[in-house]
DNA sequence: TATCTAACGTTATATCATAACAGTCAAGGC
DNA sequence: GCCTTGACTGTTATGATATAACGTTAGATA
């Protein structure tokens, strides 16, 4: 269940490069402030770890990195930072994987769907506009008031399909 | 996180009544046989427990019931039965709740969405035809080959909305 | 500076899930 | 009928994920 290792020099197509990370962190800082929240060192570093990761990371994976960098070493340290990020739209929880991933489009008040590759464990955040609309419709006809939704697809990403051929 | 208690005599609107349970069990038996699988006593009883439950049940809740009835008392007993049911389309796993629920429409090879009420913990299985189609579309435009998906909505059911008014 | 609160880190514990192995049982070949 | 075989059940043990509770620290506020 560990993410596939990549040799040095290779990086997933839709994986945020280092340049992007800085931009997103700045954006995150701004966004957090606007909500009256503080992007403290642990939180910021946690987001950075997610941004640099291939695929989603489990809380204990994040924790390990944090603890080797002088932050706390106990589970609540990671869970608190991760939950903060999720609550503020900076990360998403992937329930099927018991893991977390940085939001690819912070700032948008979006509804996302996640495409999870069974071969390389990559997680891609897709726009769920249409899916979400259909779900709203289904909920409405059941008389259900929808607050939020989890949409996760499991399959094979295009890169893995190509290499399997 | 325990399902809301109902007084005697009350039963959720969309909760399978006892009559229905028998019918579904028979159907399940048939369906299992057709797949070359056996609906053994633990499996059958597990399905029955799910069918009679209000909302979804955690594996350990199911286990407790099973063990007081003379079945095994250790976690694998429940997980094996539950996984069997899920694999054979007789139950669904609700990831957001770490729980399981009986399939409301066994026999259909359906894609389902689940409507989870935050007030009464009920779980309703909705037809996800349109949602699923939209998701297929989203996956396709990302070049992703979709195998299966989890669609779970959290909100408030109509009964709870009405009683809150 | 004094005060207040959010955030942090810790210990301890709860909750969910699976690996591995031994005994049981029913179906099919001889 | 009897044996082989594989599916099923139950157990022990352990792993993996997540939170409760509490004392301390550090930022904001007045
Ligand atoms: Zn996002
Ligand atoms: Zn892949
Ligand atoms: Zn179903
Ligand atoms: Zn309700």
């Amino acid at each position: 269940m560990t993410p596939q290792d990549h040799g040095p020099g290779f990086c997933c197509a839709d994986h945020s490069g280092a340049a992007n990370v800085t931009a997103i962190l700045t954006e995150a800082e701004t966004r957090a402030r606007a909500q009256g929240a503080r992007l403290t060192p642990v939180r910021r570093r946690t987001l950075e770890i997610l941004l640099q990761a291939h695929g989603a990371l489990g809380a204990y994976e994040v924790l390990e990195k944090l603890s080797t960098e002088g932050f706390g070493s106990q589970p609540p340290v990671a869970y608190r930072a991760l939950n903060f990020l999720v609550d503020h739209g900076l990360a998403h929880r992937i329930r099927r994987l018991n893991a977390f991933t940085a939001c690819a489009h912070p700032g948008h008040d979006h509804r996302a769907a996640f495409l999870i590759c069974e071969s390389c464990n990559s997680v891609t955040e897709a726009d769920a506009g249409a899916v979400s609309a259909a779900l709203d419709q289904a909920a409405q006809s059941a008389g259900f008031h929808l607050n939020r939704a989890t949409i996760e697809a499991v399959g094979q990403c295009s890169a893995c399909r190509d290499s399997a051929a």
Side-chain angles (χ1 to χ4, degrees), chain A:
Chain A
M1 204 41 132
T2 57
Q4 188 177 67
D5 280 345
H6 297 293
F10 173 79
C11 192
C12 319
D14 55 8
H15 166 262
S16 357
N20 221 357
V21 171
T22 316
I24 293 188
L25 282 171
T26 309
E27 160 75 14
E29 187 95 46
T30 309
R31 202 167 147 69
R33 277 223 184 302
Q35 296 179 27
R38 293 187 297 143
L39 192 63
T40 62
V42 220
R43 291 168 177 175
R44 186 187 173 90
R45 182 63 189 128
T46 300
L47 177 53
E48 210 170 0
I49 288 167
L50 291 182
L51 284 166
Q52 291 169 342
H54 300 275
L57 294 181
Y60 282 74
E61 291 177 287
V62 170
L63 178 60
E64 192 184 337
K65 301 208 188 218
L66 289 174
S67 70
T68 64
E69 296 177 17
F71 295 103
S73 62
Q74 300 305 316
V77 170
Y79 281 102
R80 280 198 291 239
L82 290 165
N83 286 330
F84 171 90
L85 296 175
V86 170
D87 289 345
H88 290 79
L90 300 171
H92 297 283
R93 185 170 201 153
I94 310 297
R95 305 210 87 109
R96 183 172 286 267
L97 303 177
N98 291 323
F100 299 82
T101 188
C103 177
H105 314 287
H108 298 223
D109 191 14
H110 59 284
R111 298 222 195 145
F114 297 92
L115 307 177
I116 303 167
C117 178
E118 290 178 304
S119 301
C120 69
N121 296 300
S122 68
V123 176
T124 305
E125 181 172 350
D127 177 46
V131 184
S132 193
L135 186 53
D136 280 338
Q137 183 56 50
Q140 193 156 33
S141 57
F144 187 89
H145 175 71
L146 194 158
N147 285 336
R148 62 211 119 82
T150 299
I151 301 168
E152 296 174 0
V154 178
Q156 202 167 28
C157 74
S158 57
C160 289
R161 283 212 97 186
D162 291 350
S163 67

